[in-house]
Amino acid sequence: MSNREVAAILYEVADLLEIKDVKFKPVAYRRAAHEIETLSEEIGRIAERDGLEEIPGVGTHIATKLREILDTGKLAYLDRMKQEVGPGVRELAGIGGIGPKKAMLLHRELGIDSMENLEAAARAGKIRGLTGFGEKSEQNLLLGIAARKGTAGRSLLGEILPVAETIRTRLAVLPQVRQIRLAGSLRRMKETIGDIDIIVASAEPEPVMAAFVTLPEVSRVLGRGLTKSSIVLASGVQVDLRVVDEGQFWTALLYFTGSKDHNIALRRRALGRGWSLSEYGVKDEATGRNIPGSAEEDLYRMLGLPYIEPELRENTGEIEAAEKGTLPRIVPYDAVKGDLHVHSQWSDGRDSIRDLAETARARGYEYIAICDHSRSAEIDRGLTVEKVVQQRAEIEQLNRESGGIPVLHGVECNINEDGTLDLPSAVLRDFDLVIASIHSRLRMHGDEMTRRLLAAIHNENVDILGHPTGRILLRREPADLDLPAIFETAAAQHVALEINAYPSRLDLSDTNCRKAKEFGVNFSLGSDAHATGDLAQMQLGIATARRGWVTAEEIINTRSLEGLRAWLGG
Ligand code: DGT
Ligand code: CA
Ligand code: CA
Ligand code: ZN
């Protein structure tokens, strides 16, 4: 079991305990879950060497539960609670705007026990009269339900990408495989993925399919044919494999990359030129002859368009922009020169600053900014004023040694409920870089929440607004915010908005990046790494920026250190 899977079980326990109105325990379980999620070592290995109780937040009680999870893959305690509470109420508690307490209230007062019930009640205006609800929250509820419907059965890009890469690598070594690519939403790097699509060019599909349906990760074979097979992995994720002739690979790749809407728009454009475009090729309608080509670039060229990157293929104006020549040059994957959001052992990170800087150097970065949490950010190992001074000394020492890359001393300072920051101005002033982020009370009313963030943006010491909306993909809706006001003020105040690359955050989102661009906002890319291995998450943040049409020039950490310092000082 992966650390994230184990953490997910503890999060669920916490949610159920909260539904049952148990005090204190939910916080303990959530804390342990967070710690486990950010471990760099595999939890199974920690258990083997009897080290579970050394994990912060894990005492004897939770350690016993962890051993049961690791031994059996399940937790009887959780299963019992699930029975007790019932699936309906739990489903409700997962919808944006409804915490566990409100779910129980809805169940008690209106007998609501499913999302369908809830939607009907909200539409009928029956919710607004309940304590703690109003007309606005009834509206938000409906939005939350819509969002939940859209994400049911989806997985995080960051979790799926490595799995898909493993499968691709296993198939790529087969002698019958001439070409192989990931397609679908995965190639477009969408933040969540419905299923994995893989395309192979081969003249001998039989052995390729045979290898595919017997991969070690397979738990079920949904279908097996010579052109298409589908499997379900042990994790529940579906994988579709198509095998085509090499001559059809270019159009098949285009077709199965999608999106569907992009395909439809391209096909319409082809029709306008007298061609029919399909996964099998491009045919001249008049002569019935196939038009030759070998790469996606050929296809776009034939249609009178520059190449459109997969991340842009959503039919949200990219074809029109391509036609007019106004498609932005989206940020390349290798353009980021340093990571601006990294946690070390000084707060809730696992690794030393030295190790983080070394890994960053090995990745080809020119600099790295260590931004540990300030004290009050739920994380009780956050930096006090005293620790800030000690950490500064360590960083200065590292920077005096030769061979390493420059380490910037930053901080991820918590934004208090009233919009003030968690460290005094005199301390904030001396950091190379200040990220301000919200970590608690994310369900504030929109006006209040917007005021809170605007106050932080107006703070003269703040350089970057961290994970601006606070959303957690598949788990927590974004905070209720007047985003245009945030974007406008951030641009005016010379504060960059973070594109946080943590797999479950990707915040700002692709669509919000695109809106923010309109206000002339600058962006900052940060992995939010809690261990050396997490620095690789940057790829997901860059993908999000690319999907948001963001260029390298709009991102402050595509600059050289000198350029970045100039921006920070400006
Ligand atoms: P997902 O799996 O929900 O994250 O999203 P996709 O985009 O990977 O969708 P999927 O797996 O259903 O199909 C893969 C691609 O195949 C899709 O992006 C475009 C293409 N495709 C699938 N169905 C259709 C269709 O009915 N018409 C057209 N034009 N293309 C389709
Ligand atoms: Ca797919
Ligand atoms: Ca599919
Ligand atoms: Zn944070």
Side-chain angles (χ1 to χ4, degrees), residues 479-545:
D480 185 7
L481 282 172
D482 178 356
L483 283 176
I486 302 283
F487 297 159
E488 189 180 353
T489 313
Q493 293 297 313
H494 196 67
V495 166
L497 297 183
E498 184 178 60
I499 302 173
N500 186 295
Y502 203 77
S504 56
R505 287 196 184 269
L506 301 182
D507 182 12
L508 291 175
S509 67
D510 49 12
T511 47
N512 281 335
C513 285
R514 212 171 143 187
K515 288 184 195 140
K517 265 175 68 102
E518 302 299 315
F519 292 83
V521 158
N522 283 122
F523 301 94
S524 160
L525 279 168
S527 68
D528 205 348
H530 286 71
T532 53
D534 296 346
L535 290 173
Q537 289 167 183
M538 183 60 85
Q539 180 199 15
L540 306 174
I542 301 174
T544 303

Side-chain angles (χ1 to χ4, degrees), residues 154 183-186 188 190 192-197 240 242 254-264 267 314:
R154 300 189 69 81
S185 52
L186 202 51
R188 305 198 308 279
K190 241 183 118 161
T192 62
I193 303 295
D195 69 1
I196 300 173
D197 299 282
D240 294 341
R242 272 93 173 183
L254 182 91
Y255 181 89
F256 291 112
T257 297
S259 66
K260 189 174 155 190
D261 292 340
H262 180 84
N263 288 351
I264 291 170
R267 198 184 314 138
E314 299 291 347

Side-chain angles (χ1 to χ4, degrees), residues 236-481:
V237 176
Q238 183 177 330
V239 190
D240 294 341
L241 173 69
R242 272 93 173 183
V243 179
V244 301
D245 285 338
E246 210 168 5
Q248 293 176 337
F249 191 72
W250 64 308
T251 44
L253 179 61
L254 182 91
Y255 181 89
F256 291 112
T257 297
S259 66
K260 189 174 155 190
D261 292 340
H262 180 84
N263 288 351
I264 291 170
L266 284 188
R267 198 184 314 138
R268 196 174 305 126
R269 197 174 168 89
L271 278 176
R273 306 189 169 212
W275 303 324
S276 73
L277 167 63
S278 74
E279 54 193 291
Y280 307 108
V282 194
K283 203 164 70 181
D284 188 323
E285 295 272 83
T287 65
R289 279 209 325 247
N290 267 329
I291 298 175
S294 61
E296 285 181 334
E297 284 82 353
D298 299 335
L299 204 266
Y300 285 104
R301 200 177 308 120
M302 283 161 55
L303 295 176
L305 299 172
Y307 180 68
I308 300 178
E309 302 278 358
E311 291 90 336
L312 301 179
R313 299 183 196 168
E314 299 291 347
N315 196 31
T316 51
E318 74 278 11
I319 297 177
E320 294 77 358
E323 168 142 56
K324 281 190 278 181
T326 57
L327 211 52
R329 286 164 53 107
I330 55 176
V331 53
Y333 279 101
D334 62 1
V336 170
K337 294 212 168 80
D339 197 325
L340 295 189
H341 190 157
V342 178
H343 295 276
S344 77
Q345 285 168 345
W346 285 88
S347 65
D348 62 347
R350 291 291 137 198
D351 294 319
S352 67
I353 298 177
R354 180 187 299 275
D355 287 350
L356 289 161
E358 176 48 33
T359 309
R361 191 194 60 77
R363 286 180 57 79
Y365 287 152
E366 293 173 17
Y367 50 84
I368 183 175
I370 300 296
C371 298
D372 276 306
H373 288 285
S374 62
R375 180 187 30 187
S376 77
E378 285 188 350
I379 293 95
D380 46 30
R381 285 180 292 143
L383 298 172
T384 56
V385 174
E386 195 186 9
K387 275 166 87 183
V388 169
V389 176
Q390 295 166 357
Q391 191 183 38
R392 170 109 5 106
E394 180 179 316
I395 289 176
E396 280 171 358
Q397 175 56 36
L398 273 173
N399 282 334
R400 272 194 296 273
E401 295 174 11
S402 63
I405 54 171
V407 178
L408 301 180
H409 193 198
V411 65
E412 182 180 14
C413 191
N414 203 36
I415 303 174
N416 300 324
E417 264 178 54
D418 60 0
T420 58
L421 296 185
D422 184 27
L423 283 167
S425 230
V427 175
L428 288 176
R429 196 172 302 140
D430 290 339
F431 282 103
D432 293 317
L433 157 118
V434 174
I435 303 176
S437 317
I438 39 170
H439 293 102
S440 56
R441 286 269 288 140
L442 301 187
R443 296 268 68 92
M444 275 171 130
H445 190 274
D447 297 342
E448 215 184 338
M449 194 63 170
T450 303
R451 263 198 307 273
R452 181 180 176 192
L453 287 198
L454 289 180
I457 294 170
H458 277 288
N459 186 306
E460 54 175 8
N461 295 306
V462 171
D463 301 298
I464 297 165
L465 187 65
H467 45 73
T469 76
R471 74 154 175 186
I472 304 290
L473 278 165
L474 310 177
R475 210 161 72 208
R476 184 168 79 206
E477 296 298 308
D480 185 7
L481 282 172

